[in-house]
PDB file of all heavy atoms in Angstrom:
ATOM      1  N   GLU A   1     -21.228 -13.756  26.157  1.00  0.00           N
ATOM      2  CA  GLU A   1     -22.563 -14.192  26.562  1.00  0.00           C
ATOM      3  C   GLU A   1     -23.069 -15.263  25.640  1.00  0.00           C
ATOM      4  O   GLU A   1     -23.227 -15.032  24.413  1.00  0.00           O
ATOM      5  CB  GLU A   1     -23.513 -12.982  26.642  1.00  0.00           C
ATOM      6  CG  GLU A   1     -24.848 -13.293  27.270  1.00  0.00           C
ATOM      7  CD  GLU A   1     -25.669 -12.015  27.406  1.00  0.00           C
ATOM      8  OE1 GLU A   1     -25.105 -10.917  27.395  1.00  0.00           O
ATOM      9  OE2 GLU A   1     -26.908 -12.173  27.629  1.00  0.00           O
ATOM     10  N   TYR A   2     -23.386 -16.444  26.171  1.00  0.00           N
ATOM     11  CA  TYR A   2     -23.993 -17.545  25.417  1.00  0.00           C
ATOM     12  C   TYR A   2     -25.362 -17.091  24.919  1.00  0.00           C
ATOM     13  O   TYR A   2     -26.151 -16.519  25.698  1.00  0.00           O
ATOM     14  CB  TYR A   2     -24.085 -18.741  26.328  1.00  0.00           C
ATOM     15  CG  TYR A   2     -24.712 -19.999  25.779  1.00  0.00           C
ATOM     16  CD1 TYR A   2     -24.102 -20.705  24.745  1.00  0.00           C
ATOM     17  CD2 TYR A   2     -25.933 -20.464  26.259  1.00  0.00           C
ATOM     18  CE1 TYR A   2     -24.673 -21.878  24.249  1.00  0.00           C
ATOM     19  CE2 TYR A   2     -26.506 -21.633  25.775  1.00  0.00           C
ATOM     20  CZ  TYR A   2     -25.868 -22.326  24.776  1.00  0.00           C
ATOM     21  OH  TYR A   2     -26.444 -23.487  24.289  1.00  0.00           O
ATOM     22  N   SER A   3     -25.654 -17.421  23.680  1.00  0.00           N
ATOM     23  CA  SER A   3     -26.910 -16.906  23.096  1.00  0.00           C
ATOM     24  C   SER A   3     -27.455 -17.837  22.027  1.00  0.00           C
ATOM     25  O   SER A   3     -26.863 -18.865  21.727  1.00  0.00           O
ATOM     26  CB  SER A   3     -26.670 -15.519  22.468  1.00  0.00           C
ATOM     27  OG  SER A   3     -25.919 -15.645  21.225  1.00  0.00           O
ATOM     28  N   ILE A   4     -28.591 -17.422  21.441  1.00  0.00           N
ATOM     29  CA  ILE A   4     -29.178 -18.211  20.388  1.00  0.00           C
ATOM     30  C   ILE A   4     -28.248 -18.274  19.173  1.00  0.00           C
ATOM     31  O   ILE A   4     -28.395 -19.226  18.356  1.00  0.00           O
ATOM     32  CB  ILE A   4     -30.538 -17.626  19.964  1.00  0.00           C
ATOM     33  CG1 ILE A   4     -30.443 -16.152  19.487  1.00  0.00           C
ATOM     34  CG2 ILE A   4     -31.588 -17.777  21.055  1.00  0.00           C
ATOM     35  CD1 ILE A   4     -31.737 -15.575  18.962  1.00  0.00           C
ATOM     36  N   ALA A   5     -27.317 -17.438  19.036  1.00  0.00           N
ATOM     37  CA  ALA A   5     -26.315 -17.553  17.926  1.00  0.00           C
ATOM     38  C   ALA A   5     -25.524 -18.815  18.078  1.00  0.00           C
ATOM     39  O   ALA A   5     -25.260 -19.549  17.106  1.00  0.00           O
ATOM     40  CB  ALA A   5     -25.424 -16.316  17.893  1.00  0.00           C
ATOM     41  N   ASP A   6     -25.107 -19.117  19.297  1.00  0.00           N
ATOM     42  CA  ASP A   6     -24.334 -20.317  19.578  1.00  0.00           C
ATOM     43  C   ASP A   6     -25.229 -21.564  19.333  1.00  0.00           C
ATOM     44  O   ASP A   6     -24.772 -22.554  18.789  1.00  0.00           O
ATOM     45  CB  ASP A   6     -23.819 -20.336  21.006  1.00  0.00           C
ATOM     46  CG  ASP A   6     -22.905 -19.128  21.292  1.00  0.00           C
ATOM     47  OD1 ASP A   6     -21.759 -19.147  20.836  1.00  0.00           O
ATOM     48  OD2 ASP A   6     -23.387 -18.207  21.938  1.00  0.00           O
ATOM     49  N   ILE A   7     -26.481 -21.471  19.828  1.00  0.00           N
ATOM     50  CA  ILE A   7     -27.405 -22.588  19.653  1.00  0.00           C
ATOM     51  C   ILE A   7     -27.633 -22.887  18.172  1.00  0.00           C
ATOM     52  O   ILE A   7     -27.792 -24.029  17.749  1.00  0.00           O
ATOM     53  CB  ILE A   7     -28.688 -22.273  20.414  1.00  0.00           C
ATOM     54  CG1 ILE A   7     -28.448 -22.192  21.901  1.00  0.00           C
ATOM     55  CG2 ILE A   7     -29.775 -23.365  20.108  1.00  0.00           C
ATOM     56  CD1 ILE A   7     -29.644 -21.732  22.722  1.00  0.00           C
ATOM     57  N   ALA A   8     -27.683 -21.859  17.363  1.00  0.00           N
ATOM     58  CA  ALA A   8     -27.933 -22.036  15.917  1.00  0.00           C
ATOM     59  C   ALA A   8     -26.701 -22.608  15.215  1.00  0.00           C
ATOM     60  O   ALA A   8     -26.839 -23.476  14.350  1.00  0.00           O
ATOM     61  CB  ALA A   8     -28.320 -20.675  15.277  1.00  0.00           C
ATOM     62  N   ILE A   9     -25.517 -22.186  15.577  1.00  0.00           N
ATOM     63  CA  ILE A   9     -24.284 -22.508  14.826  1.00  0.00           C
ATOM     64  C   ILE A   9     -23.710 -23.875  15.246  1.00  0.00           C
ATOM     65  O   ILE A   9     -23.245 -24.644  14.403  1.00  0.00           O
ATOM     66  CB  ILE A   9     -23.242 -21.394  14.965  1.00  0.00           C
ATOM     67  CG1 ILE A   9     -23.767 -20.135  14.263  1.00  0.00           C
ATOM     68  CG2 ILE A   9     -21.890 -21.811  14.393  1.00  0.00           C
ATOM     69  CD1 ILE A   9     -22.960 -18.874  14.551  1.00  0.00           C
ATOM     70  N   TYR A  10     -23.826 -24.188  16.523  1.00  0.00           N
ATOM     71  CA  TYR A  10     -23.192 -25.401  17.032  1.00  0.00           C
ATOM     72  C   TYR A  10     -23.680 -26.678  16.323  1.00  0.00           C
ATOM     73  O   TYR A  10     -22.812 -27.504  15.940  1.00  0.00           O
ATOM     74  CB  TYR A  10     -23.416 -25.583  18.546  1.00  0.00           C
ATOM     75  CG  TYR A  10     -22.960 -26.904  19.031  1.00  0.00           C
ATOM     76  CD1 TYR A  10     -21.606 -27.227  19.188  1.00  0.00           C
ATOM     77  CD2 TYR A  10     -23.934 -27.936  19.246  1.00  0.00           C
ATOM     78  CE1 TYR A  10     -21.235 -28.499  19.564  1.00  0.00           C
ATOM     79  CE2 TYR A  10     -23.535 -29.187  19.620  1.00  0.00           C
ATOM     80  CZ  TYR A  10     -22.199 -29.508  19.783  1.00  0.00           C
ATOM     81  OH  TYR A  10     -21.783 -30.782  20.140  1.00  0.00           O
ATOM     82  N   PRO A  11     -24.972 -26.907  16.133  1.00  0.00           N
ATOM     83  CA  PRO A  11     -25.379 -28.198  15.528  1.00  0.00           C
ATOM     84  C   PRO A  11     -24.811 -28.455  14.142  1.00  0.00           C
ATOM     85  O   PRO A  11     -24.725 -29.603  13.686  1.00  0.00           O
ATOM     86  CB  PRO A  11     -26.917 -28.114  15.503  1.00  0.00           C
ATOM     87  CG  PRO A  11     -27.231 -27.161  16.626  1.00  0.00           C
ATOM     88  CD  PRO A  11     -26.144 -26.137  16.547  1.00  0.00           C
ATOM     89  N   TRP A  12     -24.447 -27.395  13.454  1.00  0.00           N
ATOM     90  CA  TRP A  12     -23.830 -27.527  12.122  1.00  0.00           C
ATOM     91  C   TRP A  12     -22.305 -27.541  12.241  1.00  0.00           C
ATOM     92  O   TRP A  12     -21.648 -28.513  11.970  1.00  0.00           O
ATOM     93  CB  TRP A  12     -24.260 -26.401  11.189  1.00  0.00           C
ATOM     94  CG  TRP A  12     -25.663 -26.579  10.639  1.00  0.00           C
ATOM     95  CD1 TRP A  12     -26.784 -25.873  11.073  1.00  0.00           C
ATOM     96  CD2 TRP A  12     -26.076 -27.486   9.625  1.00  0.00           C
ATOM     97  NE1 TRP A  12     -27.890 -26.326  10.355  1.00  0.00           N
ATOM     98  CE2 TRP A  12     -27.480 -27.280   9.453  1.00  0.00           C
ATOM     99  CE3 TRP A  12     -25.423 -28.398   8.850  1.00  0.00           C
ATOM    100  CZ2 TRP A  12     -28.200 -28.036   8.501  1.00  0.00           C
ATOM    101  CZ3 TRP A  12     -26.137 -29.116   7.875  1.00  0.00           C
ATOM    102  CH2 TRP A  12     -27.501 -28.914   7.726  1.00  0.00           C
ATOM    103  N   TYR A  13     -21.761 -26.427  12.626  1.00  0.00           N
ATOM    104  CA  TYR A  13     -20.290 -26.283  12.542  1.00  0.00           C
ATOM    105  C   TYR A  13     -19.565 -26.837  13.770  1.00  0.00           C
ATOM    106  O   TYR A  13     -18.435 -27.375  13.647  1.00  0.00           O
ATOM    107  CB  TYR A  13     -19.948 -24.778  12.351  1.00  0.00           C
ATOM    108  CG  TYR A  13     -20.506 -24.259  11.076  1.00  0.00           C
ATOM    109  CD1 TYR A  13     -21.801 -23.680  11.046  1.00  0.00           C
ATOM    110  CD2 TYR A  13     -19.818 -24.335   9.877  1.00  0.00           C
ATOM    111  CE1 TYR A  13     -22.335 -23.238   9.847  1.00  0.00           C
ATOM    112  CE2 TYR A  13     -20.298 -23.904   8.667  1.00  0.00           C
ATOM    113  CZ  TYR A  13     -21.592 -23.338   8.674  1.00  0.00           C
ATOM    114  OH  TYR A  13     -22.123 -22.920   7.465  1.00  0.00           O
ATOM    115  N   GLY A  14     -20.194 -26.838  14.926  1.00  0.00           N
ATOM    116  CA  GLY A  14     -19.572 -27.459  16.092  1.00  0.00           C
ATOM    117  C   GLY A  14     -19.495 -28.951  15.906  1.00  0.00           C
ATOM    118  O   GLY A  14     -18.454 -29.580  16.159  1.00  0.00           O
ATOM    119  N   VAL A  15     -20.645 -29.525  15.503  1.00  0.00           N
ATOM    120  CA  VAL A  15     -20.676 -30.995  15.281  1.00  0.00           C
ATOM    121  C   VAL A  15     -19.734 -31.398  14.147  1.00  0.00           C
ATOM    122  O   VAL A  15     -19.094 -32.448  14.177  1.00  0.00           O
ATOM    123  CB  VAL A  15     -22.109 -31.436  15.035  1.00  0.00           C
ATOM    124  CG1 VAL A  15     -22.151 -32.922  14.668  1.00  0.00           C
ATOM    125  CG2 VAL A  15     -22.973 -31.192  16.281  1.00  0.00           C
ATOM    126  N   LEU A  16     -19.606 -30.515  13.172  1.00  0.00           N
ATOM    127  CA  LEU A  16     -18.669 -30.817  12.039  1.00  0.00           C
ATOM    128  C   LEU A  16     -17.233 -30.951  12.541  1.00  0.00           C
ATOM    129  O   LEU A  16     -16.554 -31.880  12.185  1.00  0.00           O
ATOM    130  CB  LEU A  16     -18.787 -29.677  10.968  1.00  0.00           C
ATOM    131  CG  LEU A  16     -17.849 -29.804   9.777  1.00  0.00           C
ATOM    132  CD1 LEU A  16     -18.185 -31.061   8.932  1.00  0.00           C
ATOM    133  CD2 LEU A  16     -17.883 -28.545   8.913  1.00  0.00           C
ATOM    134  N   VAL A  17     -16.798 -29.998  13.352  1.00  0.00           N
ATOM    135  CA  VAL A  17     -15.407 -30.067  13.823  1.00  0.00           C
ATOM    136  C   VAL A  17     -15.200 -31.149  14.870  1.00  0.00           C
ATOM    137  O   VAL A  17     -14.070 -31.552  15.130  1.00  0.00           O
ATOM    138  CB  VAL A  17     -14.880 -28.715  14.349  1.00  0.00           C
ATOM    139  CG1 VAL A  17     -14.946 -27.652  13.249  1.00  0.00           C
ATOM    140  CG2 VAL A  17     -15.656 -28.254  15.596  1.00  0.00           C
ATOM    141  N   GLU A  18     -16.301 -31.645  15.438  1.00  0.00           N
ATOM    142  CA  GLU A  18     -16.217 -32.783  16.368  1.00  0.00           C
ATOM    143  C   GLU A  18     -16.101 -34.085  15.599  1.00  0.00           C
ATOM    144  O   GLU A  18     -15.888 -35.144  16.179  1.00  0.00           O
ATOM    145  CB  GLU A  18     -17.448 -32.835  17.284  1.00  0.00           C
ATOM    146  CG  GLU A  18     -17.466 -31.701  18.298  1.00  0.00           C
ATOM    147  CD  GLU A  18     -18.806 -31.640  19.011  1.00  0.00           C
ATOM    148  OE1 GLU A  18     -19.809 -32.220  18.572  1.00  0.00           O
ATOM    149  OE2 GLU A  18     -18.836 -30.949  20.074  1.00  0.00           O
ATOM    150  N   GLY A  19     -16.290 -34.036  14.302  1.00  0.00           N
ATOM    151  CA  GLY A  19     -16.172 -35.211  13.457  1.00  0.00           C
ATOM    152  C   GLY A  19     -17.427 -36.056  13.352  1.00  0.00           C
ATOM    153  O   GLY A  19     -17.366 -37.231  12.929  1.00  0.00           O
ATOM    154  N   ALA A  20     -18.585 -35.457  13.702  1.00  0.00           N
ATOM    155  CA  ALA A  20     -19.833 -36.200  13.718  1.00  0.00           C
ATOM    156  C   ALA A  20     -20.787 -35.769  12.630  1.00  0.00           C
ATOM    157  O   ALA A  20     -21.980 -36.036  12.772  1.00  0.00           O
ATOM    158  CB  ALA A  20     -20.450 -36.096  15.087  1.00  0.00           C
ATOM    159  N   LEU A  21     -20.306 -35.112  11.579  1.00  0.00           N
ATOM    160  CA  LEU A  21     -21.196 -34.677  10.524  1.00  0.00           C
ATOM    161  C   LEU A  21     -20.570 -35.058   9.182  1.00  0.00           C
ATOM    162  O   LEU A  21     -19.456 -34.608   8.857  1.00  0.00           O
ATOM    163  CB  LEU A  21     -21.408 -33.163  10.588  1.00  0.00           C
ATOM    164  CG  LEU A  21     -22.454 -32.536   9.655  1.00  0.00           C
ATOM    165  CD1 LEU A  21     -23.831 -33.052   9.986  1.00  0.00           C
ATOM    166  CD2 LEU A  21     -22.423 -31.025   9.721  1.00  0.00           C
ATOM    167  N   TYR A  22     -21.276 -35.862   8.436  1.00  0.00           N
ATOM    168  CA  TYR A  22     -20.883 -36.289   7.067  1.00  0.00           C
ATOM    169  C   TYR A  22     -19.583 -37.148   7.068  1.00  0.00           C
ATOM    170  O   TYR A  22     -19.058 -37.387   6.016  1.00  0.00           O
ATOM    171  CB  TYR A  22     -20.736 -35.134   6.148  1.00  0.00           C
ATOM    172  CG  TYR A  22     -21.936 -34.252   6.050  1.00  0.00           C
ATOM    173  CD1 TYR A  22     -21.837 -32.863   6.199  1.00  0.00           C
ATOM    174  CD2 TYR A  22     -23.215 -34.803   5.860  1.00  0.00           C
ATOM    175  CE1 TYR A  22     -22.934 -32.028   6.161  1.00  0.00           C
ATOM    176  CE2 TYR A  22     -24.327 -33.965   5.792  1.00  0.00           C
ATOM    177  CZ  TYR A  22     -24.189 -32.610   5.924  1.00  0.00           C
ATOM    178  OH  TYR A  22     -25.271 -31.799   5.881  1.00  0.00           O
ATOM    179  N   ASP A  23     -19.067 -37.529   8.225  1.00  0.00           N
ATOM    180  CA  ASP A  23     -17.822 -38.288   8.297  1.00  0.00           C
ATOM    181  C   ASP A  23     -16.748 -37.554   7.469  1.00  0.00           C
ATOM    182  O   ASP A  23     -15.970 -38.194   6.724  1.00  0.00           O
ATOM    183  CB  ASP A  23     -18.050 -39.689   7.788  1.00  0.00           C
ATOM    184  CG  ASP A  23     -16.891 -40.648   8.123  1.00  0.00           C
ATOM    185  OD1 ASP A  23     -16.179 -40.385   9.095  1.00  0.00           O
ATOM    186  OD2 ASP A  23     -16.692 -41.660   7.383  1.00  0.00           O
ATOM    187  N   ALA A  24     -16.664 -36.262   7.658  1.00  0.00           N
ATOM    188  CA  ALA A  24     -15.808 -35.445   6.810  1.00  0.00           C
ATOM    189  C   ALA A  24     -14.704 -34.705   7.546  1.00  0.00           C
ATOM    190  O   ALA A  24     -14.070 -33.821   7.017  1.00  0.00           O
ATOM    191  CB  ALA A  24     -16.631 -34.419   6.027  1.00  0.00           C
ATOM    192  N   ALA A  25     -14.440 -35.073   8.788  1.00  0.00           N
ATOM    193  CA  ALA A  25     -13.499 -34.349   9.613  1.00  0.00           C
ATOM    194  C   ALA A  25     -12.062 -34.436   8.991  1.00  0.00           C
ATOM    195  O   ALA A  25     -11.385 -33.407   8.918  1.00  0.00           O
ATOM    196  CB  ALA A  25     -13.460 -34.920  11.024  1.00  0.00           C
ATOM    197  N   GLU A  26     -11.651 -35.627   8.556  1.00  0.00           N
ATOM    198  CA  GLU A  26     -10.307 -35.736   7.990  1.00  0.00           C
ATOM    199  C   GLU A  26     -10.278 -35.041   6.623  1.00  0.00           C
ATOM    200  O   GLU A  26      -9.292 -34.322   6.302  1.00  0.00           O
ATOM    201  CB  GLU A  26      -9.956 -37.218   7.826  1.00  0.00           C
ATOM    202  CG  GLU A  26      -8.560 -37.423   7.232  1.00  0.00           C
ATOM    203  CD  GLU A  26      -8.168 -38.873   7.104  1.00  0.00           C
ATOM    204  OE1 GLU A  26      -9.085 -39.764   7.326  1.00  0.00           O
ATOM    205  OE2 GLU A  26      -7.025 -39.191   6.816  1.00  0.00           O
ATOM    206  N   PHE A  27     -11.310 -35.203   5.828  1.00  0.00           N
ATOM    207  CA  PHE A  27     -11.337 -34.616   4.506  1.00  0.00           C
ATOM    208  C   PHE A  27     -11.231 -33.105   4.586  1.00  0.00           C
ATOM    209  O   PHE A  27     -10.501 -32.453   3.777  1.00  0.00           O
ATOM    210  CB  PHE A  27     -12.615 -35.010   3.775  1.00  0.00           C
ATOM    211  CG  PHE A  27     -12.766 -34.428   2.397  1.00  0.00           C
ATOM    212  CD1 PHE A  27     -12.021 -34.982   1.339  1.00  0.00           C
ATOM    213  CD2 PHE A  27     -13.630 -33.395   2.101  1.00  0.00           C
ATOM    214  CE1 PHE A  27     -12.156 -34.452   0.065  1.00  0.00           C
ATOM    215  CE2 PHE A  27     -13.763 -32.882   0.861  1.00  0.00           C
ATOM    216  CZ  PHE A  27     -13.012 -33.436  -0.224  1.00  0.00           C
ATOM    217  N   LEU A  28     -11.859 -32.461   5.561  1.00  0.00           N
ATOM    218  CA  LEU A  28     -11.851 -31.036   5.685  1.00  0.00           C
ATOM    219  C   LEU A  28     -10.765 -30.505   6.639  1.00  0.00           C
ATOM    220  O   LEU A  28     -10.698 -29.287   6.883  1.00  0.00           O
ATOM    221  CB  LEU A  28     -13.229 -30.576   6.189  1.00  0.00           C
ATOM    222  CG  LEU A  28     -14.409 -30.738   5.231  1.00  0.00           C
ATOM    223  CD1 LEU A  28     -15.716 -30.428   5.899  1.00  0.00           C
ATOM    224  CD2 LEU A  28     -14.227 -29.938   3.921  1.00  0.00           C
ATOM    225  N   SER A  29      -9.965 -31.436   7.160  1.00  0.00           N
ATOM    226  CA  SER A  29      -8.860 -31.050   8.084  1.00  0.00           C
ATOM    227  C   SER A  29      -9.384 -30.127   9.198  1.00  0.00           C
ATOM    228  O   SER A  29      -8.855 -29.057   9.462  1.00  0.00           O
ATOM    229  CB  SER A  29      -7.747 -30.342   7.334  1.00  0.00           C
ATOM    230  OG  SER A  29      -7.228 -31.141   6.317  1.00  0.00           O
ATOM    231  N   VAL A  30     -10.418 -30.595   9.894  1.00  0.00           N
ATOM    232  CA  VAL A  30     -11.035 -29.739  10.924  1.00  0.00           C
ATOM    233  C   VAL A  30     -10.102 -29.482  12.092  1.00  0.00           C
ATOM    234  O   VAL A  30     -10.353 -28.532  12.862  1.00  0.00           O
ATOM    235  CB  VAL A  30     -12.360 -30.360  11.431  1.00  0.00           C
ATOM    236  CG1 VAL A  30     -13.353 -30.513  10.253  1.00  0.00           C
ATOM    237  CG2 VAL A  30     -12.144 -31.698  12.124  1.00  0.00           C
ATOM    238  N   HIS A  31      -9.059 -30.270  12.260  1.00  0.00           N
ATOM    239  CA  HIS A  31      -8.102 -29.964  13.296  1.00  0.00           C
ATOM    240  C   HIS A  31      -7.445 -28.602  13.202  1.00  0.00           C
ATOM    241  O   HIS A  31      -6.899 -28.041  14.186  1.00  0.00           O
ATOM    242  CB  HIS A  31      -7.038 -31.041  13.361  1.00  0.00           C
ATOM    243  CG  HIS A  31      -6.119 -31.035  12.154  1.00  0.00           C
ATOM    244  ND1 HIS A  31      -6.474 -31.640  10.925  1.00  0.00           N
ATOM    245  CD2 HIS A  31      -4.908 -30.436  11.934  1.00  0.00           C
ATOM    246  CE1 HIS A  31      -5.511 -31.443  10.062  1.00  0.00           C
ATOM    247  NE2 HIS A  31      -4.541 -30.707  10.599  1.00  0.00           N
ATOM    248  N   GLU A  32      -7.546 -28.016  12.007  1.00  0.00           N
ATOM    249  CA  GLU A  32      -6.867 -26.689  11.786  1.00  0.00           C
ATOM    250  C   GLU A  32      -7.651 -25.565  12.529  1.00  0.00           C
ATOM    251  O   GLU A  32      -7.068 -24.521  12.736  1.00  0.00           O
ATOM    252  CB  GLU A  32      -6.887 -26.364  10.244  1.00  0.00           C
ATOM    253  CG  GLU A  32      -6.071 -27.354   9.440  1.00  0.00           C
ATOM    254  CD  GLU A  32      -6.228 -27.102   7.955  1.00  0.00           C
ATOM    255  OE1 GLU A  32      -7.146 -26.333   7.543  1.00  0.00           O
ATOM    256  OE2 GLU A  32      -5.395 -27.652   7.185  1.00  0.00           O
ATOM    257  N   TYR A  33      -8.889 -25.817  12.882  1.00  0.00           N
ATOM    258  CA  TYR A  33      -9.738 -24.737  13.401  1.00  0.00           C
ATOM    259  C   TYR A  33      -9.823 -24.868  14.913  1.00  0.00           C
ATOM    260  O   TYR A  33     -10.858 -25.179  15.502  1.00  0.00           O
ATOM    261  CB  TYR A  33     -11.092 -24.761  12.727  1.00  0.00           C
ATOM    262  CG  TYR A  33     -10.955 -24.813  11.218  1.00  0.00           C
ATOM    263  CD1 TYR A  33     -11.115 -25.993  10.501  1.00  0.00           C
ATOM    264  CD2 TYR A  33     -10.619 -23.653  10.520  1.00  0.00           C
ATOM    265  CE1 TYR A  33     -10.991 -26.018   9.133  1.00  0.00           C
ATOM    266  CE2 TYR A  33     -10.458 -23.672   9.135  1.00  0.00           C
ATOM    267  CZ  TYR A  33     -10.648 -24.860   8.451  1.00  0.00           C
ATOM    268  OH  TYR A  33     -10.453 -24.904   7.084  1.00  0.00           O
ATOM    269  N   GLU A  34      -8.710 -24.544  15.592  1.00  0.00           N
ATOM    270  CA  GLU A  34      -8.560 -24.818  17.008  1.00  0.00           C
ATOM    271  C   GLU A  34      -9.546 -23.999  17.872  1.00  0.00           C
ATOM    272  O   GLU A  34     -10.035 -24.468  18.887  1.00  0.00           O
ATOM    273  CB  GLU A  34      -7.125 -24.550  17.472  1.00  0.00           C
ATOM    274  CG  GLU A  34      -6.665 -23.113  17.219  1.00  0.00           C
ATOM    275  CD  GLU A  34      -5.259 -22.880  17.783  1.00  0.00           C
ATOM    276  OE1 GLU A  34      -5.008 -23.287  18.915  1.00  0.00           O
ATOM    277  OE2 GLU A  34      -4.432 -22.335  17.023  1.00  0.00           O
ATOM    278  N   HIS A  35      -9.847 -22.803  17.457  1.00  0.00           N
ATOM    279  CA  HIS A  35     -10.736 -21.948  18.243  1.00  0.00           C
ATOM    280  C   HIS A  35     -12.198 -22.463  18.092  1.00  0.00           C
ATOM    281  O   HIS A  35     -12.979 -22.350  19.048  1.00  0.00           O
ATOM    282  CB  HIS A  35     -10.585 -20.505  17.821  1.00  0.00           C
ATOM    283  CG  HIS A  35      -9.214 -19.992  17.950  1.00  0.00           C
ATOM    284  ND1 HIS A  35      -8.548 -19.929  19.159  1.00  0.00           N
ATOM    285  CD2 HIS A  35      -8.296 -19.552  17.017  1.00  0.00           C
ATOM    286  CE1 HIS A  35      -7.325 -19.501  18.978  1.00  0.00           C
ATOM    287  NE2 HIS A  35      -7.152 -19.248  17.676  1.00  0.00           N
ATOM    288  N   VAL A  36     -12.560 -22.901  16.912  1.00  0.00           N
ATOM    289  CA  VAL A  36     -13.893 -23.476  16.718  1.00  0.00           C
ATOM    290  C   VAL A  36     -14.040 -24.739  17.552  1.00  0.00           C
ATOM    291  O   VAL A  36     -15.075 -25.018  18.184  1.00  0.00           O
ATOM    292  CB  VAL A  36     -14.195 -23.776  15.225  1.00  0.00           C
ATOM    293  CG1 VAL A  36     -15.610 -24.306  15.048  1.00  0.00           C
ATOM    294  CG2 VAL A  36     -13.997 -22.552  14.398  1.00  0.00           C
ATOM    295  N   ARG A  37     -12.985 -25.516  17.587  1.00  0.00           N
ATOM    296  CA  ARG A  37     -13.006 -26.786  18.346  1.00  0.00           C
ATOM    297  C   ARG A  37     -13.115 -26.501  19.846  1.00  0.00           C
ATOM    298  O   ARG A  37     -13.837 -27.207  20.580  1.00  0.00           O
ATOM    299  CB  ARG A  37     -11.778 -27.625  18.032  1.00  0.00           C
ATOM    300  CG  ARG A  37     -11.754 -28.144  16.547  1.00  0.00           C
ATOM    301  CD  ARG A  37     -10.455 -28.889  16.275  1.00  0.00           C
ATOM    302  NE  ARG A  37     -10.378 -30.097  17.073  1.00  0.00           N
ATOM    303  CZ  ARG A  37      -9.235 -30.722  17.336  1.00  0.00           C
ATOM    304  NH1 ARG A  37      -8.072 -30.207  16.887  1.00  0.00           N
ATOM    305  NH2 ARG A  37      -9.204 -31.806  18.048  1.00  0.00           N
ATOM    306  N   ARG A  38     -12.435 -25.470  20.348  1.00  0.00           N
ATOM    307  CA  ARG A  38     -12.479 -25.102  21.746  1.00  0.00           C
ATOM    308  C   ARG A  38     -13.905 -24.692  22.105  1.00  0.00           C
ATOM    309  O   ARG A  38     -14.462 -25.124  23.078  1.00  0.00           O
ATOM    310  CB  ARG A  38     -11.521 -23.953  22.028  1.00  0.00           C
ATOM    311  CG  ARG A  38     -11.465 -23.427  23.453  1.00  0.00           C
ATOM    312  CD  ARG A  38     -12.497 -22.384  23.795  1.00  0.00           C
ATOM    313  NE  ARG A  38     -12.455 -21.263  22.841  1.00  0.00           N
ATOM    314  CZ  ARG A  38     -13.407 -20.393  22.690  1.00  0.00           C
ATOM    315  NH1 ARG A  38     -14.577 -20.514  23.341  1.00  0.00           N
ATOM    316  NH2 ARG A  38     -13.311 -19.391  21.794  1.00  0.00           N
ATOM    317  N   TRP A  39     -14.473 -23.839  21.226  1.00  0.00           N
ATOM    318  CA  TRP A  39     -15.866 -23.378  21.438  1.00  0.00           C
ATOM    319  C   TRP A  39     -16.837 -24.558  21.378  1.00  0.00           C
ATOM    320  O   TRP A  39     -17.738 -24.663  22.239  1.00  0.00           O
ATOM    321  CB  TRP A  39     -16.164 -22.330  20.367  1.00  0.00           C
ATOM    322  CG  TRP A  39     -17.601 -21.993  20.187  1.00  0.00           C
ATOM    323  CD1 TRP A  39     -18.388 -21.088  20.873  1.00  0.00           C
ATOM    324  CD2 TRP A  39     -18.490 -22.510  19.169  1.00  0.00           C
ATOM    325  NE1 TRP A  39     -19.648 -21.043  20.385  1.00  0.00           N
ATOM    326  CE2 TRP A  39     -19.753 -21.871  19.310  1.00  0.00           C
ATOM    327  CE3 TRP A  39     -18.334 -23.449  18.157  1.00  0.00           C
ATOM    328  CZ2 TRP A  39     -20.836 -22.181  18.502  1.00  0.00           C
ATOM    329  CZ3 TRP A  39     -19.405 -23.723  17.323  1.00  0.00           C
ATOM    330  CH2 TRP A  39     -20.623 -23.088  17.503  1.00  0.00           C
TER     331      TRP A  39
END
């Protein structure tokens, strides 16, 4: 069930794994977190 937990977490960690936060996607190897990226 989609909830306020998703709304709270996505703008930080979702945007991070999308490569749109701090320009740090390559540095943090966000491609490793496939389930976070799917979500």
